[in-house]
Amino acid sequence: SPIFSFKKLKVWQKARDFHRDKFALFPQIQRAALSTPFYISEGARLGTKELIHFISLAHGSLIETMNQLILADD
């Protein structure tokens, strides 16, 4: 699946190894997770074209959250 393809990238794998125990992830996870519904609601109030744009931003936030949870699990 294209959503999970970043896990196969060597550069992501190396960054994951470097990241272990280096940074506090909770504030970053919270920010990314909370931005998802905000993007959706913001786009919904503006119209179809804007909704598509904001859905894309929400999708990015979900991928970011997933990545941060993977790192936190490490």
Side-chain angles (χ1 to χ4, degrees):
S1 164
I3 292 176
F4 300 105
S5 63
F6 69 89
K7 291 177 174 182
K8 296 177 183 175
L9 298 172
K10 293 287 184 198
V11 67
W12 182 83
Q13 294 169 7
K14 294 290 183 185
R16 182 180 179 189
D17 290 340
F18 173 76
H19 186 275
R20 286 186 174 99
D21 299 323
K22 301 288 184 209
F23 303 100
L25 282 174
F26 182 73
Q28 294 172 354
I29 293 168
Q30 185 177 34
R31 182 194 52 77
L34 288 173
S35 68
T36 301
F38 295 149
Y39 281 137
I40 294 168
S41 62
E42 182 69 12
R45 76 175 188 83
L46 296 174
T48 303
K49 182 180 176 183
E50 291 82 3
L51 177 58
I52 292 168
H53 172 72
F54 279 90
I55 291 290
S56 176
L57 293 174
H59 179 257
S61 290
L62 289 173
I63 297 298
E64 182 181 348
T65 303
M66 185 175 67
N67 178 60
Q68 293 164 345
L69 290 171
I70 290 167
L71 294 174
D73 187 51
D74 288 343

